[in-house]
Amino acid sequence: MRLDIVSIFPEYFSPLDVSLIGKARERGTLDVRVHQLRDWTHDVHKTVDDTPYGGGPGMVMKPEVWGEAIDAIIADGRAAGSPAADSPITGSPITGSPATGSPITGSPITGSPATGSPITGSPITGSPATGSPFAGGPEASATPRIIVPTPSGRPFTQEIAQELAAEPWLLFACGRYEGIDSRVMREYGARMRVDELSIGDYVLAGGEVAVLVMVEAIGRLLPGVLGNVHSAVDDSFAPGAMRNLLEGPVYTKPPVWRGHEVPEVLLSGHHGKIARWRRDEALRRTVANRPELAAAIDPETLDKHDRKLLDELAFRVGPEDMAN
Ligand code: ADE
């Protein structure tokens, strides 16, 4: 998967050098390029913002600079053999529907990093590096899916993370100030998929941290990124048995710590009982912490034991007549 990230603060993305995502990049599963938006300005001050039409506080990001940046990145991706629809498929996300013809390909933009950081790679110059792990065939019509983080967007969920993990190419456009001139989203939305996404009901200073959150959520779903292929299946919110459920508590050795004991069932070795206990705890925790999620559980997915537990908790799921 190729990820292009455009921001006026490329330094924000150094966490993508470490841990799971850093390793995925080293292995070639993820090809991340961080670009300095100001590289596409033409004035001495490298201006990216201006006052809002209609008045009001704050500044709005100018459409021209965003247009030039996005056009250049798309042109580069195509020229460099961006993730092409006919390239070999090397895997698909561990959960959710398999990528349809989505290869894990791409190739780096050559040229010297803008800030000297190993994670920045802009401006776009030169020809594609040879011997790259992302050597896909050129695809003249390939387009990235554009993601614009904004508190005004649709909620970013595990389901959307899975959908995005099946894409070969994502371009994240990080807004600052009051946001990006809306015409940018309209312009590209006419030609490719553009999603405005929010990571929660609070306002950050800019989209950078939201992009870090999304890249980690998406990246860990790519084939080979998580050590244990089953870990993502048992995650909170994972489609399947965990849809609309939070994961329950977890324990490790020692069996007693400062007088607190590990629940006995977990030491029993009885897999059926352990699975039942985990599901009970997931239900309990969801009812306690996220009652609106618990209320959205499909009643058809509840067994007799689940219903009994929810009755004990005096919690009703779904329409009245299906709850018992
Ligand atoms: N930018 C500022 N706040 C944000 C949020 N909550 N989600 C995504 N992007 C943002």
Side-chain angles (χ1 to χ4, degrees):
M1 172 185 274
R2 169 171 166 156
L3 298 182
D4 286 283
I5 302 173
V6 189
S7 163
I8 57 168
F9 295 117
E11 316 86 274
Y12 256 103
F13 297 95
S14 49
L16 299 181
D17 286 341
V18 298
S19 189
L20 284 180
I21 302 295
K23 290 212 177 75
R25 295 176 70 187
E26 275 170 27
R27 272 199 307 270
T29 306
L30 255 184
D31 173 15
V32 181
R33 299 134 193 255
V34 182
H35 311 275
Q36 169 56 269
L37 177 69
R38 293 189 199 276
D39 289 344
W40 283 281
T41 57
H42 300 288
D43 62 314
V44 289
H45 301 295
K46 298 187 180 290
T47 310
V48 293
D49 60 334
D50 206 336
T51 52
Y53 274 126
M59 299 291 270
V60 174
M61 294 189 108
K62 293 164 70 62
E64 304 96 318
V65 62
W66 274 108
E68 286 198 32
I70 296 171
D71 287 349
I73 291 166
I74 292 175
D76 171 77
R78 288 174 176 171
S82 70
D86 55 356
S87 296
I89 297 172
T90 56
S92 63
I94 2 178
T95 53
S97 49
T100 47
S102 301
I104 309 296
T105 55
S107 87
I109 295 166
T110 54
S112 51
T115 65
S117 146
I119 55 155
T120 53
S122 172
I124 296 167
T125 51
S127 53
T130 49
S132 130
F134 306 105
E139 174 59 67
S141 61
T143 51
R145 187 155 160 183
I146 298 181
I147 314 293
V148 183
T150 162
S152 316
R154 286 189 297 144
F156 176 72
T157 59
Q158 189 65 19
E159 199 170 347
I160 294 179
Q162 291 198 348
E163 191 185 312
L164 296 178
E167 295 282 347
W169 187 9
L170 302 175
L171 191 165
F172 291 92
C174 301
R176 279 261 144 187
Y177 319 115
E178 295 302 306
I180 302 173
D181 186 304
S182 255
R183 290 169 293 183
V184 174
M185 281 63 87
R186 208 203 298 165
E187 162 75 6
Y188 290 96
R191 287 184 265 149
M192 59 200 77
R193 179 93 191 245
V194 176
D195 295 274
E196 292 181 278
L197 297 176
S198 167
I199 63 158
D201 294 341
Y202 37 79
V203 180
L204 304 166
E208 285 76 8
V209 170
V211 168
L212 282 173
V213 167
M214 292 191 244
V215 169
E216 184 156 313
I218 295 163
R220 66 189 284 283
L221 297 176
L222 298 177
V225 172
L226 280 185
N228 179 351
V229 130
H230 300 293
S231 339
V233 179
D234 298 330
D235 281 345
S236 299
F237 320 112
M242 289 304 285
R243 180 178 292 283
N244 292 322
L245 277 181
L246 306 180
E247 229 182 309
V250 294
Y251 301 88
T252 184
K253 291 178 263 307
V256 183
W257 177 75
R258 296 190 179 181
H260 304 280
E261 292 177 4
V262 169
E264 215 176 309
V265 61
L266 296 179
L267 311 175
S268 69
H270 192 300
H271 298 303
K273 282 190 182 155
I274 292 172
R276 182 66 256 174
W277 180 88
R278 286 193 169 139
R279 183 156 173 91
D280 288 355
E281 291 302 308
L283 283 163
R284 278 186 216 284
R285 191 175 261 196
T286 311
V287 166
N289 294 348
R290 297 287 303 276
E292 85 292 356
L293 261 192
I297 295 172
D298 177 1
E300 297 284 327
T301 65
L302 298 174
D303 64 20
K304 247 171 72 183
H305 191 111
D306 294 334
R307 287 164 198 266
K308 188 162 162 274
L309 176 71
L310 291 170
D311 263 357
E312 282 164 23
L313 298 172
F315 195 84
R316 212 161 260 281
V317 167
E320 287 277 291
D321 55 338
M322 297 187 75
N324 293 305

PDB file of all heavy atoms in Angstrom, residues 148-154 156 175-177 196-211 214, ligand 1:
ATOM      1  N   VAL A 148      -9.442  13.399   3.966  1.00  0.00           N
ATOM      2  CA  VAL A 148      -9.251  14.707   4.592  1.00  0.00           C
ATOM      3  C   VAL A 148      -9.746  14.621   6.039  1.00  0.00           C
ATOM      4  O   VAL A 148     -10.940  14.468   6.276  1.00  0.00           O
ATOM      5  CB  VAL A 148     -10.031  15.808   3.826  1.00  0.00           C
ATOM      6  CG1 VAL A 148      -9.763  17.176   4.446  1.00  0.00           C
ATOM      7  CG2 VAL A 148      -9.687  15.792   2.347  1.00  0.00           C
ATOM      8  N   PRO A 149      -8.815  14.647   7.016  1.00  0.00           N
ATOM      9  CA  PRO A 149      -9.256  14.587   8.412  1.00  0.00           C
ATOM     10  C   PRO A 149      -9.877  15.924   8.812  1.00  0.00           C
ATOM     11  O   PRO A 149      -9.294  16.976   8.553  1.00  0.00           O
ATOM     12  CB  PRO A 149      -7.955  14.336   9.174  1.00  0.00           C
ATOM     13  CG  PRO A 149      -6.876  14.873   8.294  1.00  0.00           C
ATOM     14  CD  PRO A 149      -7.356  14.720   6.878  1.00  0.00           C
ATOM     15  N   THR A 150     -11.043  15.870   9.398  1.00  0.00           N
ATOM     16  CA  THR A 150     -11.723  17.083   9.855  1.00  0.00           C
ATOM     17  C   THR A 150     -12.775  16.702  10.888  1.00  0.00           C
ATOM     18  O   THR A 150     -13.415  15.653  10.748  1.00  0.00           O
ATOM     19  CB  THR A 150     -12.405  17.838   8.676  1.00  0.00           C
ATOM     20  OG1 THR A 150     -13.382  18.754   9.204  1.00  0.00           O
ATOM     21  CG2 THR A 150     -13.100  16.909   7.701  1.00  0.00           C
ATOM     22  N   PRO A 151     -12.941  17.542  11.919  1.00  0.00           N
ATOM     23  CA  PRO A 151     -13.983  17.218  12.907  1.00  0.00           C
ATOM     24  C   PRO A 151     -15.381  17.243  12.284  1.00  0.00           C
ATOM     25  O   PRO A 151     -16.319  16.714  12.866  1.00  0.00           O
ATOM     26  CB  PRO A 151     -13.835  18.311  13.973  1.00  0.00           C
ATOM     27  CG  PRO A 151     -12.987  19.374  13.369  1.00  0.00           C
ATOM     28  CD  PRO A 151     -12.195  18.753  12.268  1.00  0.00           C
ATOM     29  N   SER A 152     -15.521  17.811  11.086  1.00  0.00           N
ATOM     30  CA  SER A 152     -16.834  17.844  10.423  1.00  0.00           C
ATOM     31  C   SER A 152     -17.092  16.602   9.572  1.00  0.00           C
ATOM     32  O   SER A 152     -18.126  16.520   8.902  1.00  0.00           O
ATOM     33  CB  SER A 152     -16.941  19.063   9.503  1.00  0.00           C
ATOM     34  OG  SER A 152     -16.449  20.205  10.125  1.00  0.00           O
ATOM     35  N   GLY A 153     -16.164  15.652   9.561  1.00  0.00           N
ATOM     36  CA  GLY A 153     -16.312  14.487   8.686  1.00  0.00           C
ATOM     37  C   GLY A 153     -17.155  13.369   9.277  1.00  0.00           C
ATOM     38  O   GLY A 153     -17.639  13.459  10.402  1.00  0.00           O
ATOM     39  N   ARG A 154     -17.307  12.305   8.493  1.00  0.00           N
ATOM     40  CA  ARG A 154     -17.977  11.085   8.986  1.00  0.00           C
ATOM     41  C   ARG A 154     -17.068  10.457  10.032  1.00  0.00           C
ATOM     42  O   ARG A 154     -15.839  10.554   9.915  1.00  0.00           O
ATOM     43  CB  ARG A 154     -18.105  10.048   7.856  1.00  0.00           C
ATOM     44  CG  ARG A 154     -19.135  10.345   6.810  1.00  0.00           C
ATOM     45  CD  ARG A 154     -19.299   9.126   5.905  1.00  0.00           C
ATOM     46  NE  ARG A 154     -18.087   8.784   5.156  1.00  0.00           N
ATOM     47  CZ  ARG A 154     -17.688   7.550   4.865  1.00  0.00           C
ATOM     48  NH1 ARG A 154     -18.389   6.505   5.296  1.00  0.00           N
ATOM     49  NH2 ARG A 154     -16.597   7.337   4.161  1.00  0.00           N
ATOM     50  N   PHE A 156     -14.615   8.065  11.733  1.00  0.00           N
ATOM     51  CA  PHE A 156     -13.675   7.014  11.318  1.00  0.00           C
ATOM     52  C   PHE A 156     -13.904   5.827  12.248  1.00  0.00           C
ATOM     53  O   PHE A 156     -13.792   5.960  13.464  1.00  0.00           O
ATOM     54  CB  PHE A 156     -12.241   7.535  11.446  1.00  0.00           C
ATOM     55  CG  PHE A 156     -11.186   6.517  11.144  1.00  0.00           C
ATOM     56  CD1 PHE A 156     -10.955   6.091   9.848  1.00  0.00           C
ATOM     57  CD2 PHE A 156     -10.417   5.975  12.170  1.00  0.00           C
ATOM     58  CE1 PHE A 156      -9.969   5.142   9.558  1.00  0.00           C
ATOM     59  CE2 PHE A 156      -9.430   5.034  11.897  1.00  0.00           C
ATOM     60  CZ  PHE A 156      -9.211   4.618  10.593  1.00  0.00           C
ATOM     61  N   GLY A 175      -5.321  19.347   6.998  1.00  0.00           N
ATOM     62  CA  GLY A 175      -5.668  20.761   7.113  1.00  0.00           C
ATOM     63  C   GLY A 175      -5.209  21.309   8.453  1.00  0.00           C
ATOM     64  O   GLY A 175      -5.014  20.570   9.420  1.00  0.00           O
ATOM     65  N   ARG A 176      -5.002  22.614   8.484  1.00  0.00           N
ATOM     66  CA  ARG A 176      -4.702  23.350   9.737  1.00  0.00           C
ATOM     67  C   ARG A 176      -5.655  24.530   9.780  1.00  0.00           C
ATOM     68  O   ARG A 176      -6.439  24.737   8.862  1.00  0.00           O
ATOM     69  CB  ARG A 176      -3.262  23.853   9.712  1.00  0.00           C
ATOM     70  CG  ARG A 176      -2.257  22.784  10.082  1.00  0.00           C
ATOM     71  CD  ARG A 176      -1.833  22.917  11.542  1.00  0.00           C
ATOM     72  NE  ARG A 176      -1.615  21.611  12.138  1.00  0.00           N
ATOM     73  CZ  ARG A 176      -1.364  21.426  13.435  1.00  0.00           C
ATOM     74  NH1 ARG A 176      -1.273  22.450  14.262  1.00  0.00           N
ATOM     75  NH2 ARG A 176      -1.201  20.224  13.916  1.00  0.00           N
ATOM     76  N   TYR A 177      -5.570  25.346  10.771  1.00  0.00           N
ATOM     77  CA  TYR A 177      -6.417  26.544  10.896  1.00  0.00           C
ATOM     78  C   TYR A 177      -7.895  26.119  10.842  1.00  0.00           C
ATOM     79  O   TYR A 177      -8.265  25.124  11.444  1.00  0.00           O
ATOM     80  CB  TYR A 177      -6.059  27.589   9.823  1.00  0.00           C
ATOM     81  CG  TYR A 177      -4.573  27.732   9.589  1.00  0.00           C
ATOM     82  CD1 TYR A 177      -3.992  27.395   8.381  1.00  0.00           C
ATOM     83  CD2 TYR A 177      -3.738  28.160  10.624  1.00  0.00           C
ATOM     84  CE1 TYR A 177      -2.627  27.513   8.184  1.00  0.00           C
ATOM     85  CE2 TYR A 177      -2.366  28.273  10.435  1.00  0.00           C
ATOM     86  CZ  TYR A 177      -1.816  27.943   9.218  1.00  0.00           C
ATOM     87  OH  TYR A 177      -0.475  28.036   9.023  1.00  0.00           O
ATOM     88  N   GLU A 196     -14.074  12.874   3.889  1.00  0.00           N
ATOM     89  CA  GLU A 196     -13.751  13.724   5.039  1.00  0.00           C
ATOM     90  C   GLU A 196     -14.097  12.894   6.269  1.00  0.00           C
ATOM     91  O   GLU A 196     -15.229  12.430   6.416  1.00  0.00           O
ATOM     92  CB  GLU A 196     -14.565  15.014   4.982  1.00  0.00           C
ATOM     93  CG  GLU A 196     -14.136  15.898   3.816  1.00  0.00           C
ATOM     94  CD  GLU A 196     -14.903  17.199   3.746  1.00  0.00           C
ATOM     95  OE1 GLU A 196     -16.021  17.179   3.206  1.00  0.00           O
ATOM     96  OE2 GLU A 196     -14.408  18.218   4.241  1.00  0.00           O
ATOM     97  N   LEU A 197     -13.093  12.659   7.132  1.00  0.00           N
ATOM     98  CA  LEU A 197     -13.281  11.748   8.261  1.00  0.00           C
ATOM     99  C   LEU A 197     -12.872  12.407   9.570  1.00  0.00           C
ATOM    100  O   LEU A 197     -11.868  13.127   9.630  1.00  0.00           O
ATOM    101  CB  LEU A 197     -12.440  10.480   8.051  1.00  0.00           C
ATOM    102  CG  LEU A 197     -12.794   9.602   6.841  1.00  0.00           C
ATOM    103  CD1 LEU A 197     -11.810   8.442   6.727  1.00  0.00           C
ATOM    104  CD2 LEU A 197     -14.221   9.084   6.934  1.00  0.00           C
ATOM    105  N   SER A 198     -13.625  12.102  10.618  1.00  0.00           N
ATOM    106  CA  SER A 198     -13.325  12.618  11.956  1.00  0.00           C
ATOM    107  C   SER A 198     -12.948  11.459  12.868  1.00  0.00           C
ATOM    108  O   SER A 198     -13.564  10.397  12.811  1.00  0.00           O
ATOM    109  CB  SER A 198     -14.569  13.312  12.521  1.00  0.00           C
ATOM    110  OG  SER A 198     -14.397  13.540  13.908  1.00  0.00           O
ATOM    111  N   ILE A 199     -11.949  11.670  13.717  1.00  0.00           N
ATOM    112  CA  ILE A 199     -11.581  10.597  14.646  1.00  0.00           C
ATOM    113  C   ILE A 199     -12.311  10.729  15.980  1.00  0.00           C
ATOM    114  O   ILE A 199     -12.127   9.890  16.871  1.00  0.00           O
ATOM    115  CB  ILE A 199     -10.051  10.488  14.881  1.00  0.00           C
ATOM    116  CG1 ILE A 199      -9.502  11.753  15.527  1.00  0.00           C
ATOM    117  CG2 ILE A 199      -9.329  10.144  13.595  1.00  0.00           C
ATOM    118  CD1 ILE A 199      -8.178  11.505  16.253  1.00  0.00           C
ATOM    119  N   GLY A 200     -13.133  11.735  16.164  1.00  0.00           N
ATOM    120  CA  GLY A 200     -13.881  11.839  17.419  1.00  0.00           C
ATOM    121  C   GLY A 200     -14.495  13.209  17.586  1.00  0.00           C
ATOM    122  O   GLY A 200     -14.153  14.144  16.859  1.00  0.00           O
ATOM    123  N   ASP A 201     -15.363  13.304  18.562  1.00  0.00           N
ATOM    124  CA  ASP A 201     -16.095  14.552  18.773  1.00  0.00           C
ATOM    125  C   ASP A 201     -15.317  15.525  19.650  1.00  0.00           C
ATOM    126  O   ASP A 201     -15.699  15.812  20.789  1.00  0.00           O
ATOM    127  CB  ASP A 201     -17.475  14.249  19.382  1.00  0.00           C
ATOM    128  CG  ASP A 201     -18.350  13.494  18.412  1.00  0.00           C
ATOM    129  OD1 ASP A 201     -18.049  13.516  17.199  1.00  0.00           O
ATOM    130  OD2 ASP A 201     -19.329  12.868  18.852  1.00  0.00           O
ATOM    131  N   TYR A 202     -14.203  15.965  19.135  1.00  0.00           N
ATOM    132  CA  TYR A 202     -13.369  16.973  19.781  1.00  0.00           C
ATOM    133  C   TYR A 202     -12.588  17.624  18.664  1.00  0.00           C
ATOM    134  O   TYR A 202     -12.487  17.071  17.560  1.00  0.00           O
ATOM    135  CB  TYR A 202     -12.418  16.357  20.823  1.00  0.00           C
ATOM    136  CG  TYR A 202     -11.878  15.024  20.391  1.00  0.00           C
ATOM    137  CD1 TYR A 202     -10.827  14.953  19.466  1.00  0.00           C
ATOM    138  CD2 TYR A 202     -12.436  13.840  20.851  1.00  0.00           C
ATOM    139  CE1 TYR A 202     -10.363  13.730  19.035  1.00  0.00           C
ATOM    140  CE2 TYR A 202     -11.975  12.604  20.408  1.00  0.00           C
ATOM    141  CZ  TYR A 202     -10.942  12.560  19.508  1.00  0.00           C
ATOM    142  OH  TYR A 202     -10.491  11.353  19.069  1.00  0.00           O
ATOM    143  N   VAL A 203     -12.036  18.798  18.935  1.00  0.00           N
ATOM    144  CA  VAL A 203     -11.346  19.514  17.865  1.00  0.00           C
ATOM    145  C   VAL A 203      -9.847  19.571  18.155  1.00  0.00           C
ATOM    146  O   VAL A 203      -9.414  20.063  19.204  1.00  0.00           O
ATOM    147  CB  VAL A 203     -11.924  20.946  17.700  1.00  0.00           C
ATOM    148  CG1 VAL A 203     -11.206  21.687  16.575  1.00  0.00           C
ATOM    149  CG2 VAL A 203     -13.421  20.872  17.401  1.00  0.00           C
ATOM    150  N   LEU A 204      -9.076  19.033  17.223  1.00  0.00           N
ATOM    151  CA  LEU A 204      -7.612  19.065  17.326  1.00  0.00           C
ATOM    152  C   LEU A 204      -7.099  20.334  16.643  1.00  0.00           C
ATOM    153  O   LEU A 204      -7.848  21.019  15.946  1.00  0.00           O
ATOM    154  CB  LEU A 204      -7.026  17.838  16.626  1.00  0.00           C
ATOM    155  CG  LEU A 204      -7.531  16.476  17.124  1.00  0.00           C
ATOM    156  CD1 LEU A 204      -7.149  15.375  16.151  1.00  0.00           C
ATOM    157  CD2 LEU A 204      -6.978  16.192  18.509  1.00  0.00           C
ATOM    158  N   ALA A 205      -5.818  20.602  16.819  1.00  0.00           N
ATOM    159  CA  ALA A 205      -5.249  21.808  16.202  1.00  0.00           C
ATOM    160  C   ALA A 205      -5.053  21.634  14.704  1.00  0.00           C
ATOM    161  O   ALA A 205      -4.875  22.600  13.974  1.00  0.00           O
ATOM    162  CB  ALA A 205      -3.923  22.146  16.872  1.00  0.00           C
ATOM    163  N   GLY A 206      -5.084  20.399  14.233  1.00  0.00           N
ATOM    164  CA  GLY A 206      -4.890  20.140  12.806  1.00  0.00           C
ATOM    165  C   GLY A 206      -5.111  18.664  12.542  1.00  0.00           C
ATOM    166  O   GLY A 206      -5.350  17.879  13.472  1.00  0.00           O
ATOM    167  N   GLY A 207      -5.006  18.269  11.284  1.00  0.00           N
ATOM    168  CA  GLY A 207      -5.312  16.881  10.920  1.00  0.00           C
ATOM    169  C   GLY A 207      -4.185  15.890  11.170  1.00  0.00           C
ATOM    170  O   GLY A 207      -4.391  14.674  11.043  1.00  0.00           O
ATOM    171  N   GLU A 208      -2.988  16.377  11.549  1.00  0.00           N
ATOM    172  CA  GLU A 208      -1.831  15.465  11.618  1.00  0.00           C
ATOM    173  C   GLU A 208      -2.028  14.305  12.584  1.00  0.00           C
ATOM    174  O   GLU A 208      -1.746  13.148  12.256  1.00  0.00           O
ATOM    175  CB  GLU A 208      -0.559  16.250  11.979  1.00  0.00           C
ATOM    176  CG  GLU A 208       0.019  17.087  10.849  1.00  0.00           C
ATOM    177  CD  GLU A 208      -0.751  18.378  10.582  1.00  0.00           C
ATOM    178  OE1 GLU A 208      -1.657  18.713  11.367  1.00  0.00           O
ATOM    179  OE2 GLU A 208      -0.434  19.060   9.590  1.00  0.00           O
ATOM    180  N   VAL A 209      -2.471  14.632  13.796  1.00  0.00           N
ATOM    181  CA  VAL A 209      -2.624  13.564  14.800  1.00  0.00           C
ATOM    182  C   VAL A 209      -3.728  12.594  14.359  1.00  0.00           C
ATOM    183  O   VAL A 209      -3.602  11.375  14.521  1.00  0.00           O
ATOM    184  CB  VAL A 209      -2.905  14.171  16.193  1.00  0.00           C
ATOM    185  CG1 VAL A 209      -3.305  13.101  17.182  1.00  0.00           C
ATOM    186  CG2 VAL A 209      -1.667  14.919  16.694  1.00  0.00           C
ATOM    187  N   ALA A 210      -4.774  13.132  13.749  1.00  0.00           N
ATOM    188  CA  ALA A 210      -5.858  12.266  13.256  1.00  0.00           C
ATOM    189  C   ALA A 210      -5.315  11.310  12.187  1.00  0.00           C
ATOM    190  O   ALA A 210      -5.681  10.131  12.147  1.00  0.00           O
ATOM    191  CB  ALA A 210      -6.992  13.117  12.695  1.00  0.00           C
ATOM    192  N   VAL A 211      -4.402  11.798  11.354  1.00  0.00           N
ATOM    193  CA  VAL A 211      -3.836  10.926  10.314  1.00  0.00           C
ATOM    194  C   VAL A 211      -2.967   9.838  10.941  1.00  0.00           C
ATOM    195  O   VAL A 211      -3.002   8.675  10.522  1.00  0.00           O
ATOM    196  CB  VAL A 211      -3.065  11.753   9.253  1.00  0.00           C
ATOM    197  CG1 VAL A 211      -2.229  10.851   8.352  1.00  0.00           C
ATOM    198  CG2 VAL A 211      -4.048  12.573   8.433  1.00  0.00           C
ATOM    199  N   MET A 214      -5.315   7.228  12.095  1.00  0.00           N
ATOM    200  CA  MET A 214      -5.887   6.432  11.001  1.00  0.00           C
ATOM    201  C   MET A 214      -4.849   5.505  10.366  1.00  0.00           C
ATOM    202  O   MET A 214      -5.139   4.347  10.074  1.00  0.00           O
ATOM    203  CB  MET A 214      -6.504   7.363   9.948  1.00  0.00           C
ATOM    204  CG  MET A 214      -7.737   8.081  10.453  1.00  0.00           C
ATOM    205  SD  MET A 214      -8.612   8.923   9.118  1.00  0.00           S
ATOM    206  CE  MET A 214      -8.436  10.611   9.607  1.00  0.00           C
TER     207      MET A 214
HETATM  208  N1  ADE B   1      -8.888  17.851  12.773  1.00  0.00           N
HETATM  209  C1  ADE B   1      -9.209  18.550  13.880  1.00  0.00           C
HETATM  210  N2  ADE B   1      -9.971  17.833  14.698  1.00  0.00           N
HETATM  211  C2  ADE B   1     -10.148  16.623  14.094  1.00  0.00           C
HETATM  212  C3  ADE B   1     -10.854  15.458  14.433  1.00  0.00           C
HETATM  213  N3  ADE B   1     -11.544  15.351  15.552  1.00  0.00           N
HETATM  214  N4  ADE B   1     -10.811  14.422  13.565  1.00  0.00           N
HETATM  215  C4  ADE B   1     -10.145  14.525  12.416  1.00  0.00           C
HETATM  216  N5  ADE B   1      -9.467  15.599  12.045  1.00  0.00           N
HETATM  217  C5  ADE B   1      -9.465  16.648  12.865  1.00  0.00           C
END
